[in-house]
Amino acid sequence: MKLLLKHLALGLAAAASLAVLPLHAQQNNDKPLRIVVPFAPGGAQDVIARYLGAKLTEKLGGSVIVDNKAGAGGILAADAVAKATDSATVLLATGGAITVAPHLQAKLPYDPVHDLAPVALVGDTPMTVAVRTESPYKTLADVLRDAKAKPGQVTYASTGNGTVSHLTGALLAQAGGVNLLHVPYRGAAPALTDLLGGQVALIVTSAASIEPMVASGKARVLGTFSRAALPSLGTPPTVAEATGLAGMDVPVWVGVMAPARMPAASVEKLSAALVEVCNLPETKQRFAQLGAVNTCGGGAALAKVISEDSQRWAKVIKQGGIKVD
């Protein structure tokens, strides 16, 4: 936070003289702004990055390119940005490499606190807990009651060991005082296939992943790990409403981070532009189509979310004795 405040203070002092220049000119180079995405093309985060890139091109001048660098749960992308030296590279950041990996990996090639600077908070891609339509579970209360009666026998699918999907399911189990059997998959698609086939009882996955199954009548969402209901899913209750448990509002945040060495004035300029884009009515509409919610804020807002998220997952991982291969 001290480093963030220093960046912001310097940025405010310099912003007025730089306001009319495109971002790449402020950075004294001719390179386009590069947004590194830690996922393959086509997913919700990739679409968000490309949308933001197009809007930033309009607002900042100069070109913006999206560079997909998938692998190692986002660590490859975060490391590339942390080590970038061109002052024109930023990361479309999510919790995996920033708030989860530090608690699961003995050693990372970068320090998410000191090597990366928060620029802006732009969205939330909420997690859900769902069942196939034919499931006997009608509510989350049914699930917790059955799980207490049959410890370790009620299964939930996740999108992979050590992912936010896995940890969110673990959080639910820990808060509810039950033992759910975790079944990890390599992504949402195979997990959904087994859910619909009856091989697993529950799935914890993003609203974007489950929405097509809900729309086709193949799945039902029992609860959303969000502060408010999500109309695109048929307005199921939030997990907090469905269970009465506290701490079930779990933002699966999307933000933009820059190398710590990026000039403070450039960070401030980019932050202001991103918040402006995030607040556009069309952004809200576009994000909703992706199962996301626009949650707009500058670097300080993102730093706060990162701090809270890191503390949450540190506790879940420690309590559950969770490890990755």
Side-chain angles (χ1 to χ4, degrees):
M1 283 299 295
K2 289 181 179 179
L3 180 62
L4 168 67
L5 293 174
K6 179 180 177 182
H7 273 287
L8 294 180
L10 291 173
L12 288 172
S17 62
L18 295 168
V20 297
L21 297 178
L23 186 64
H24 62 77
Q26 293 176 30
Q27 296 164 338
N28 297 316
N29 63 54
D30 296 323
K31 292 185 177 181
L33 178 68
R34 181 167 66 111
I35 303 176
V36 180
V37 179
F39 302 99
Q45 289 82 3
D46 175 66
V47 175
I48 287 172
R50 294 177 188 280
Y51 173 85
L52 294 175
K55 292 299 179 182
L56 289 175
T57 298
E58 299 172 7
K59 292 191 174 296
L60 293 173
S63 58
V64 179
I65 61 173
V66 173
D67 180 7
N68 297 91
K69 194 176 292 292
I75 291 175
L76 295 180
D79 186 45
V81 174
K83 291 181 170 59
T85 58
D86 58 11
S87 295
T89 298
V90 297
L91 174 70
L92 188 84
T94 59
I98 306 301
T99 60
V100 174
H103 307 296
L104 288 174
Q105 304 284 348
K107 187 176 181 181
L108 290 174
Y110 59 91
D111 184 326
V113 175
H114 296 99
D115 295 340
L116 294 165
V119 178
L121 177 67
V122 297
D124 178 12
T125 53
M127 300 299 288
T128 69
V129 55
V131 296
R132 65 189 180 280
T133 302
E134 300 81 8
S135 170
Y137 297 133
K138 304 303 180 184
T139 68
L140 268 179
D142 295 338
V143 173
L144 296 180
R145 186 164 46 247
D146 202 26
K148 286 181 179 178
K150 298 183 291 187
Q153 296 183 45
V154 177
T155 55
Y156 80 93
S158 81
T159 56
N161 196 31
T163 62
V164 173
S165 167
H166 171 197
L167 299 182
T168 302
L171 173 66
L172 174 63
Q174 291 172 14
V178 300
N179 179 13
L180 297 175
L181 179 59
H182 172 230
V183 184
Y185 288 83
R186 292 183 178 274
L192 284 166
T193 297
D194 274 10
L195 175 79
L196 299 182
Q199 280 73 42
V200 288
L202 311 166
I203 188 170
V204 177
T205 191
S206 69
S209 295
I210 199 66
E211 193 276 334
M213 300 297 102
V214 173
S216 64
K218 296 177 180 178
R220 290 184 286 110
V221 173
L222 300 182
T224 61
F225 293 87
S226 57
R227 187 170 299 173
L230 302 177
S232 64
L233 299 176
T235 62
T238 67
V239 172
E241 291 170 339
T243 63
L245 299 172
M248 295 294 103
D249 173 20
V250 184
V252 187
W253 57 272
V254 178
V256 174
M257 302 185 79
R261 64 178 61 86
M262 179 178 280
S266 296
V267 172
E268 177 64 17
K269 178 77 173 180
L270 180 57
S271 177
L274 283 165
V275 171
E276 186 177 347
V277 169
C278 184
N279 278 309
L280 293 172
E282 63 184 282
T283 301
K284 180 177 181 180
Q285 182 179 11
R286 185 72 183 97
F287 280 23
Q289 294 170 348
L290 300 170
V293 179
N294 57 326
T295 52
C296 312
L302 178 56
K304 182 175 184 293
V305 167
I306 288 174
S307 176
E308 293 172 346
D309 208 43
S310 183
Q311 292 176 50
R312 176 188 300 110
W313 298 135
K315 181 179 179 181
V316 169
I317 290 167
K318 182 178 181 180
Q319 183 175 333
I322 295 171
K323 301 182 184 300
V324 294
D325 297 330

Coordinates of all heavy atoms in Angstrom, one line a residue, residues 172-256:
L172 N -16.7 -23.1 1.3 CA -18.0 -23.4 1.7 C -18.1 -24.6 2.7 O -18.8 -24.5 3.7 CB -18.8 -23.8 0.4 CG -20.2 -24.3 0.6 CD1 -21.1 -23.3 1.2 CD2 -20.8 -24.8 -0.7
A173 N -17.3 -25.6 2.4 CA -17.2 -26.8 3.3 C -16.7 -26.4 4.7 O -17.3 -26.8 5.7 CB -16.3 -27.8 2.7
Q174 N -15.7 -25.6 4.8 CA -15.1 -25.2 6.1 C -16.1 -24.3 6.8 O -16.3 -24.5 8.0 CB -13.8 -24.4 5.8 CG -12.7 -25.3 5.3 CD -11.5 -24.5 5.0 OE1 -11.3 -23.3 5.3 NE2 -10.5 -25.1 4.3
A175 N -16.8 -23.4 6.2 CA -17.7 -22.5 6.8 C -19.0 -23.3 7.3 O -19.5 -23.0 8.3 CB -18.1 -21.3 5.9
G176 N -19.4 -24.3 6.5 CA -20.5 -25.1 6.8 C -20.3 -26.2 7.8 O -21.2 -26.9 8.2
G177 N -19.0 -26.4 8.1 CA -18.6 -27.5 9.0 C -18.9 -28.9 8.5 O -19.2 -29.8 9.2
V178 N -18.6 -29.0 7.2 CA -18.9 -30.3 6.5 C -17.6 -30.7 5.8 O -16.7 -29.9 5.5 CB -20.1 -30.3 5.6 CG1 -21.3 -29.9 6.3 CG2 -19.8 -29.3 4.4
N179 N -17.6 -32.0 5.4 CA -16.5 -32.6 4.6 C -17.0 -32.9 3.2 O -17.7 -34.0 3.1 CB -15.9 -33.8 5.3 CG -14.8 -34.4 4.5 OD1 -14.3 -33.8 3.5 ND2 -14.4 -35.6 4.9
L180 N -16.8 -32.1 2.2 CA -17.1 -32.3 0.8 C -16.0 -33.0 0.1 O -14.8 -32.6 0.4 CB -17.5 -31.0 0.1 CG -18.8 -30.3 0.6 CD1 -18.9 -29.0 -0.1 CD2 -20.0 -31.1 0.5
L181 N -16.2 -34.0 -0.7 CA -15.2 -34.6 -1.4 C -14.9 -33.9 -2.7 O -15.7 -33.8 -3.6 CB -15.6 -36.1 -1.8 CG -14.6 -36.9 -2.6 CD1 -13.2 -37.0 -1.8 CD2 -15.1 -38.3 -2.9
H182 N -13.6 -33.3 -2.8 CA -13.2 -32.5 -4.0 C -12.8 -33.4 -5.1 O -12.0 -34.3 -4.9 CB -12.1 -31.6 -3.6 CG -11.4 -30.9 -4.7 ND1 -10.1 -30.9 -4.9 CD2 -12.0 -30.2 -5.7 CE1 -9.8 -30.2 -6.0 NE2 -11.0 -29.7 -6.5
V183 N -13.3 -33.2 -6.3 CA -13.0 -33.9 -7.5 C -12.5 -32.9 -8.5 O -13.2 -32.2 -9.2 CB -14.2 -34.7 -8.1 CG1 -13.7 -35.5 -9.3 CG2 -14.8 -35.6 -7.0
P184 N -11.1 -32.8 -8.7 CA -10.6 -31.8 -9.6 C -10.6 -32.2 -11.1 O -10.5 -33.4 -11.4 CB -9.1 -31.6 -9.2 CG -8.8 -33.0 -8.6 CD -10.1 -33.5 -8.0
Y185 N -10.9 -31.3 -12.0 CA -10.9 -31.5 -13.4 C -9.9 -30.6 -14.1 O -9.5 -29.6 -13.5 CB -12.3 -31.4 -14.0 CG -13.2 -32.5 -13.6 CD1 -13.9 -32.5 -12.4 CD2 -13.4 -33.6 -14.5 CE1 -14.8 -33.5 -12.0 CE2 -14.3 -34.6 -14.1 CZ -15.0 -34.6 -12.9 OH -15.8 -35.6 -12.5
R186 N -9.6 -30.8 -15.4 CA -8.8 -29.9 -16.2 C -9.7 -28.9 -16.9 O -9.9 -29.0 -18.1 CB -7.9 -30.7 -17.1 CG -6.8 -31.5 -16.4 CD -5.9 -32.2 -17.5 NE -4.9 -33.0 -16.8 CZ -3.7 -32.4 -16.4 NH1 -3.5 -31.2 -16.6 NH2 -2.8 -33.2 -15.9
G187 N -10.3 -28.0 -16.2 CA -11.1 -27.0 -16.8 C -12.6 -27.3 -16.5 O -13.0 -28.3 -16.0
A188 N -13.4 -26.3 -16.9 CA -14.9 -26.3 -16.7 C -15.6 -27.4 -17.6 O -16.5 -28.0 -17.1 CB -15.5 -25.0 -16.8
A189 N -15.1 -27.5 -18.8 CA -15.9 -28.4 -19.7 C -16.0 -29.8 -19.3 O -17.1 -30.4 -19.2 CB -15.2 -28.3 -21.1
P190 N -14.9 -30.5 -18.9 CA -15.0 -31.9 -18.4 C -15.7 -32.0 -17.1 O -16.4 -33.0 -16.9 CB -13.6 -32.4 -18.3 CG -12.7 -31.1 -18.2 CD -13.4 -30.1 -19.0
A191 N -15.6 -31.0 -16.3 CA -16.3 -31.0 -15.0 C -17.8 -30.9 -15.2 O -18.6 -31.6 -14.6 CB -15.8 -29.8 -14.1
L192 N -18.2 -30.1 -16.1 CA -19.7 -30.0 -16.4 C -20.2 -31.2 -17.1 O -21.3 -31.6 -16.8 CB -19.9 -28.8 -17.4 CG -19.8 -27.4 -16.7 CD1 -19.7 -26.3 -17.8 CD2 -21.1 -27.2 -15.8
T193 N -19.4 -31.9 -17.9 CA -19.8 -33.1 -18.5 C -20.1 -34.2 -17.5 O -21.1 -34.9 -17.5 CB -18.7 -33.6 -19.5 OG1 -18.5 -32.7 -20.5 CG2 -19.1 -35.0 -20.0
D194 N -19.2 -34.3 -16.5 CA -19.5 -35.3 -15.4 C -20.6 -34.9 -14.5 O -21.3 -35.7 -13.9 CB -18.2 -35.5 -14.6 CG -17.3 -36.6 -15.3 OD1 -17.6 -37.0 -16.4 OD2 -16.3 -37.0 -14.7
L195 N -20.8 -33.6 -14.3 CA -21.9 -33.1 -13.5 C -23.2 -33.6 -14.1 O -24.1 -34.2 -13.5 CB -21.9 -31.6 -13.3 CG -23.2 -31.0 -12.6 CD1 -23.0 -31.2 -11.1 CD2 -23.3 -29.6 -12.9
L196 N -23.3 -33.3 -15.4 CA -24.6 -33.6 -16.1 C -24.8 -35.1 -16.3 O -25.9 -35.6 -16.4 CB -24.6 -33.0 -17.5 CG -24.5 -31.4 -17.5 CD1 -24.6 -30.9 -19.0 CD2 -25.6 -30.8 -16.7
G197 N -23.6 -35.8 -16.2 CA -23.7 -37.3 -16.3 C -23.9 -38.0 -15.0 O -24.1 -39.2 -14.9
G198 N -24.0 -37.2 -13.9 CA -24.2 -37.7 -12.6 C -23.0 -38.3 -11.9 O -23.2 -38.9 -10.8
Q199 N -21.8 -38.1 -12.4 CA -20.6 -38.6 -11.8 C -20.2 -37.8 -10.5 O -19.6 -38.3 -9.6 CB -19.4 -38.6 -12.7 CG -19.4 -39.8 -13.7 CD -20.5 -39.7 -14.8 OE1 -20.7 -38.6 -15.3 NE2 -21.1 -40.8 -15.1
V200 N -20.6 -36.6 -10.5 CA -20.4 -35.7 -9.3 C -21.7 -35.0 -8.9 O -22.6 -34.8 -9.8 CB -19.3 -34.7 -9.5 CG1 -17.9 -35.3 -9.6 CG2 -19.6 -33.9 -10.8
A201 N -21.9 -34.7 -7.7 CA -23.1 -34.1 -7.2 C -23.2 -32.6 -7.4 O -24.3 -32.1 -7.7 CB -23.3 -34.4 -5.7
L202 N -22.1 -31.9 -7.3 CA -22.1 -30.5 -7.3 C -21.0 -30.0 -8.2 O -20.0 -30.8 -8.5 CB -21.9 -29.9 -5.9 CG -22.7 -30.3 -4.8 CD1 -22.1 -29.8 -3.5 CD2 -24.2 -29.8 -4.9
I203 N -21.0 -28.8 -8.6 CA -19.9 -28.1 -9.3 C -19.8 -26.7 -8.7 O -20.8 -26.1 -8.5 CB -20.1 -28.1 -10.8 CG1 -18.8 -27.6 -11.5 CG2 -21.3 -27.2 -11.3 CD1 -18.8 -27.7 -13.0
V204 N -18.5 -26.3 -8.5 CA -18.3 -24.9 -8.2 C -17.5 -24.3 -9.3 O -16.4 -24.7 -9.7 CB -17.4 -24.8 -6.9 CG1 -17.1 -23.4 -6.6 CG2 -18.2 -25.5 -5.7
T205 N -18.2 -23.4 -10.0 CA -17.6 -22.8 -11.2 C -18.1 -21.4 -11.4 O -19.0 -21.0 -10.7 CB -17.9 -23.7 -12.5 OG1 -17.1 -23.3 -13.6 CG2 -19.4 -23.7 -12.8
S206 N -17.6 -20.8 -12.4 CA -18.0 -19.4 -12.7 C -19.4 -19.3 -13.3 O -19.9 -20.2 -13.9 CB -17.0 -18.7 -13.6 OG -17.1 -19.2 -14.9
A207 N -20.0 -18.1 -13.1 CA -21.3 -17.8 -13.6 C -21.2 -18.0 -15.1 O -22.2 -18.4 -15.8 CB -21.8 -16.4 -13.2
A208 N -20.1 -17.5 -15.7 CA -20.0 -17.6 -17.2 C -20.0 -19.0 -17.7 O -20.6 -19.3 -18.7 CB -18.7 -16.9 -17.6
S209 N -19.4 -20.0 -16.9 CA -19.4 -21.4 -17.3 C -20.7 -22.1 -17.2 O -21.1 -22.9 -18.0 CB -18.3 -22.1 -16.5 OG -17.0 -21.6 -16.8
I210 N -21.4 -21.7 -16.1 CA -22.7 -22.5 -15.8 C -23.9 -21.9 -16.6 O -24.9 -22.6 -16.8 CB -22.9 -22.5 -14.3 CG1 -23.9 -23.6 -14.0 CG2 -23.5 -21.2 -13.8 CD1 -23.4 -25.0 -14.2
E211 N -23.8 -20.6 -17.0 CA -25.0 -20.0 -17.6 C -25.6 -20.7 -18.8 O -26.8 -20.8 -18.8 CB -24.6 -18.5 -17.9 CG -25.8 -17.6 -18.2 CD -26.3 -17.8 -19.7 OE1 -25.4 -18.1 -20.5 OE2 -27.5 -17.5 -19.9
P212 N -24.7 -21.2 -19.7 CA -25.3 -21.9 -20.8 C -26.1 -23.2 -20.4 O -27.1 -23.5 -21.0 CB -24.1 -22.3 -21.7 CG -23.1 -21.3 -21.4 CD -23.3 -21.0 -19.9
M213 N -25.6 -23.8 -19.4 CA -26.3 -25.0 -18.9 C -27.6 -24.7 -18.2 O -28.6 -25.4 -18.3 CB -25.4 -25.8 -17.8 CG -24.1 -26.3 -18.4 SD -24.2 -27.5 -19.7 CE -23.9 -26.5 -21.1
V214 N -27.6 -23.5 -17.5 CA -28.9 -23.0 -16.9 C -29.9 -22.6 -18.0 O -31.1 -23.0 -17.9 CB -28.6 -21.9 -15.9 CG1 -29.9 -21.2 -15.4 CG2 -27.7 -22.3 -14.8
A215 N -29.4 -21.9 -19.0 CA -30.3 -21.5 -20.0 C -30.9 -22.6 -20.8 O -32.0 -22.5 -21.3 CB -29.5 -20.6 -21.0
S216 N -30.2 -23.7 -20.9 CA -30.7 -24.9 -21.6 C -31.5 -25.8 -20.8 O -32.0 -26.9 -21.2 CB -29.5 -25.7 -22.3 OG -28.7 -26.2 -21.3
G217 N -31.6 -25.5 -19.5 CA -32.4 -26.3 -18.6 C -31.7 -27.5 -18.1 O -32.3 -28.4 -17.5
K218 N -30.4 -27.6 -18.2 CA -29.6 -28.8 -17.8 C -29.1 -28.7 -16.4 O -28.7 -29.7 -15.8 CB -28.5 -29.1 -18.8 CG -29.0 -29.4 -20.2 CD -27.8 -29.6 -21.1 CE -28.2 -29.9 -22.6 NZ -27.1 -30.0 -23.5
A219 N -29.0 -27.5 -15.9 CA -28.4 -27.3 -14.5 C -29.2 -26.2 -13.8 O -29.9 -25.4 -14.4 CB -26.9 -26.9 -14.7
R220 N -29.0 -26.3 -12.4 CA -29.6 -25.3 -11.6 C -28.6 -24.8 -10.6 O -27.8 -25.5 -10.1 CB -30.7 -25.9 -10.7 CG -32.0 -26.3 -11.4 CD -33.1 -26.8 -10.5 NE -32.8 -28.2 -10.0 CZ -32.4 -28.5 -8.8 NH1 -32.3 -27.5 -7.9 NH2 -32.2 -29.7 -8.4
V221 N -28.6 -23.5 -10.4 CA -27.6 -22.8 -9.5 C -28.3 -22.8 -8.1 O -29.4 -22.2 -8.0 CB -27.2 -21.4 -10.0 CG1 -26.4 -20.7 -8.9 CG2 -26.4 -21.5 -11.3
L222 N -27.6 -23.3 -7.1 CA -28.1 -23.3 -5.8 C -27.7 -22.0 -5.0 O -28.4 -21.7 -4.0 CB -27.7 -24.5 -5.0 CG -28.1 -25.9 -5.6 CD1 -27.5 -27.0 -4.6 CD2 -29.6 -26.0 -5.7
G223 N -26.6 -21.4 -5.5 CA -26.2 -20.2 -4.8 C -25.0 -19.6 -5.5 O -24.3 -20.2 -6.3
T224 N -24.9 -18.3 -5.4 CA -23.8 -17.5 -6.0 C -23.0 -16.9 -4.9 O -23.5 -16.4 -3.9 CB -24.3 -16.4 -6.9 OG1 -25.1 -15.5 -6.1 CG2 -25.2 -17.0 -8.0
F225 N -21.7 -17.0 -5.1 CA -20.7 -16.4 -4.1 C -20.6 -14.9 -4.4 O -19.5 -14.4 -4.7 CB -19.4 -17.1 -4.2 CG -19.5 -18.5 -3.7 CD1 -19.8 -19.6 -4.6 CD2 -19.2 -18.9 -2.4 CE1 -19.9 -20.9 -4.2 CE2 -19.3 -20.2 -2.0 CZ -19.6 -21.2 -2.8
S226 N -21.7 -14.2 -4.4 CA -21.7 -12.8 -4.7 C -22.5 -12.0 -3.7 O -23.2 -12.6 -2.9 CB -22.3 -12.6 -6.1 OG -23.6 -13.1 -6.2
R227 N -22.4 -10.7 -3.8 CA -23.1 -9.8 -2.8 C -24.5 -9.7 -3.2 O -25.4 -9.5 -2.4 CB -22.4 -8.5 -2.8 CG -23.0 -7.5 -1.7 CD -22.1 -6.3 -1.5 NE -20.7 -6.7 -1.1 CZ -19.7 -5.9 -1.1 NH1 -19.8 -4.6 -1.4 NH2 -18.5 -6.3 -0.7
A228 N -24.8 -9.7 -4.5 CA -26.2 -9.6 -5.0 C -26.5 -10.7 -6.0 O -25.6 -11.4 -6.5 CB -26.3 -8.2 -5.7
A229 N -27.8 -10.9 -6.2 CA -28.3 -11.9 -7.1 C -27.8 -11.6 -8.5 O -27.6 -10.5 -8.9 CB -29.8 -12.0 -7.1
L230 N -27.7 -12.7 -9.3 CA -27.3 -12.6 -10.7 C -28.5 -12.9 -11.6 O -28.8 -14.1 -11.8 CB -26.1 -13.5 -11.0 CG -24.9 -13.2 -10.2 CD1 -23.8 -14.3 -10.5 CD2 -24.3 -11.8 -10.3
P231 N -29.2 -11.9 -12.2 CA -30.4 -12.2 -13.0 C -30.1 -13.2 -14.2 O -31.1 -13.9 -14.5 CB -30.8 -10.8 -13.5 CG -30.2 -9.9 -12.5 CD -28.9 -10.5 -12.1
S232 N -28.9 -13.2 -14.7 CA -28.7 -14.0 -15.9 C -28.8 -15.5 -15.5 O -28.9 -16.4 -16.4 CB -27.3 -13.8 -16.4 OG -26.3 -14.1 -15.5
L233 N -28.8 -15.8 -14.2 CA -28.9 -17.2 -13.8 C -30.3 -17.6 -13.2 O -30.4 -18.6 -12.6 CB -27.8 -17.5 -12.7 CG -26.3 -17.3 -13.2 CD1 -25.4 -17.6 -12.0 CD2 -26.0 -18.3 -14.3
G234 N -31.2 -16.7 -13.4 CA -32.5 -16.9 -12.9 C -32.7 -16.4 -11.5 O -33.6 -16.9 -10.8
T235 N -31.8 -15.5 -11.1 CA -31.8 -14.9 -9.7 C -31.8 -16.0 -8.6 O -32.7 -15.9 -7.7 CB -33.0 -13.9 -9.5 OG1 -34.2 -14.6 -9.7 CG2 -32.9 -12.8 -10.5
P236 N -30.9 -16.9 -8.6 CA -30.8 -17.8 -7.4 C -30.3 -17.0 -6.2 O -29.8 -15.9 -6.4 CB -29.7 -18.8 -7.9 CG -28.9 -18.0 -8.8 CD -29.8 -17.1 -9.6
P237 N -30.5 -17.5 -5.0 CA -30.0 -16.8 -3.8 C -28.5 -16.7 -3.8 O -27.8 -17.6 -4.4 CB -30.6 -17.6 -2.7 CG -30.6 -19.0 -3.2 CD -31.1 -18.8 -4.7
T238 N -28.0 -15.8 -3.1 CA -26.5 -15.8 -2.8 C -26.3 -16.9 -1.8 O -27.2 -17.4 -1.1 CB -26.0 -14.5 -2.2 OG1 -26.6 -14.3 -0.9 CG2 -26.4 -13.3 -3.1
V239 N -25.0 -17.4 -1.7 CA -24.7 -18.5 -0.8 C -25.0 -18.0 0.6 O -25.5 -18.8 1.5 CB -23.2 -18.9 -1.0 CG1 -22.8 -19.9 0.1 CG2 -23.1 -19.5 -2.3
A240 N -24.7 -16.7 0.9 CA -25.0 -16.2 2.3 C -26.5 -16.3 2.6 O -26.9 -16.7 3.7 CB -24.5 -14.8 2.4
E241 N -27.3 -15.9 1.6 CA -28.7 -16.0 1.8 C -29.2 -17.4 2.0 O -30.1 -17.7 2.8 CB -29.5 -15.3 0.6 CG -29.3 -13.8 0.6 CD -29.8 -13.3 -0.8 OE1 -29.9 -14.0 -1.7 OE2 -30.0 -12.0 -0.8
A242 N -28.6 -18.3 1.2 CA -29.1 -19.7 1.2 C -28.7 -20.5 2.4 O -29.3 -21.4 2.8 CB -28.6 -20.4 0.0
T243 N -27.6 -20.0 3.1 CA -27.0 -20.8 4.2 C -27.0 -20.1 5.5 O -26.9 -20.7 6.6 CB -25.6 -21.3 3.9 OG1 -24.8 -20.1 3.7 CG2 -25.5 -22.1 2.6
G244 N -27.0 -18.8 5.4 CA -26.9 -18.0 6.7 C -25.4 -17.9 7.1 O -25.2 -17.3 8.2
L245 N -24.5 -18.3 6.3 CA -23.1 -18.3 6.6 C -22.5 -16.9 6.3 O -22.8 -16.3 5.3 CB -22.3 -19.4 5.9 CG -22.7 -20.8 6.2 CD1 -22.0 -21.8 5.2 CD2 -22.4 -21.2 7.6
A246 N -21.6 -16.5 7.1 CA -20.9 -15.2 6.9 C -19.6 -15.5 6.0 O -19.1 -16.6 5.9 CB -20.5 -14.6 8.2
G247 N -19.2 -14.4 5.3 CA -18.0 -14.5 4.5 C -18.1 -15.2 3.2 O -17.1 -15.7 2.7
M248 N -19.3 -15.3 2.7 CA -19.5 -16.0 1.4 C -19.6 -15.1 0.2 O -19.8 -15.6 -0.9 CB -20.8 -16.9 1.5 CG -20.8 -18.0 2.5 SD -19.6 -19.3 2.2 CE -18.3 -18.9 3.3
D249 N -19.3 -13.8 0.4 CA -19.2 -12.9 -0.7 C -17.7 -13.0 -1.2 O -16.8 -12.4 -0.5 CB -19.6 -11.5 -0.3 CG -19.3 -10.5 -1.4 OD1 -19.2 -10.9 -2.6 OD2 -19.2 -9.3 -1.0
V250 N -17.5 -13.7 -2.2 CA -16.1 -14.0 -2.7 C -15.9 -13.4 -4.0 O -16.2 -14.0 -5.1 CB -15.8 -15.5 -2.7 CG1 -14.4 -15.8 -3.1 CG2 -16.2 -16.2 -1.4
P251 N -15.3 -12.2 -4.1 CA -15.1 -11.6 -5.4 C -14.0 -12.3 -6.2 O -12.9 -12.5 -5.7 CB -14.7 -10.2 -5.1 CG -14.1 -10.2 -3.7 CD -14.9 -11.3 -3.0
V252 N -14.3 -12.8 -7.4 CA -13.3 -13.4 -8.3 C -12.9 -12.3 -9.2 O -13.4 -12.2 -10.3 CB -13.9 -14.6 -9.0 CG1 -12.8 -15.3 -9.8 CG2 -14.5 -15.6 -8.0
W253 N -12.1 -11.4 -8.7 CA -11.8 -10.1 -9.3 C -10.9 -10.2 -10.6 O -10.2 -11.2 -10.8 CB -11.1 -9.3 -8.3 CG -9.8 -9.9 -7.7 CD1 -9.7 -10.7 -6.6 CD2 -8.5 -9.7 -8.2 NE1 -8.4 -11.1 -6.4 CE2 -7.6 -10.5 -7.4 CE3 -7.9 -9.0 -9.3 CZ2 -6.2 -10.6 -7.6 CZ3 -6.6 -9.1 -9.5 CH2 -5.7 -9.9 -8.7
V254 N -11.1 -9.2 -11.4 CA -10.3 -9.0 -12.6 C -9.8 -7.6 -12.5 O -10.5 -6.6 -12.3 CB -11.1 -9.2 -13.9 CG1 -10.2 -8.9 -15.1 CG2 -11.7 -10.6 -13.9
G255 N -8.5 -7.4 -12.6 CA -7.9 -6.1 -12.5 C -6.7 -6.0 -13.5 O -6.4 -6.9 -14.2
V256 N -6.1 -4.8 -13.5 CA -4.9 -4.6 -14.3 C -3.8 -4.2 -13.4 O -3.9 -3.3 -12.5 CB -5.2 -3.4 -15.3 CG1 -3.9 -3.1 -16.1 CG2 -6.3 -3.9 -16.3

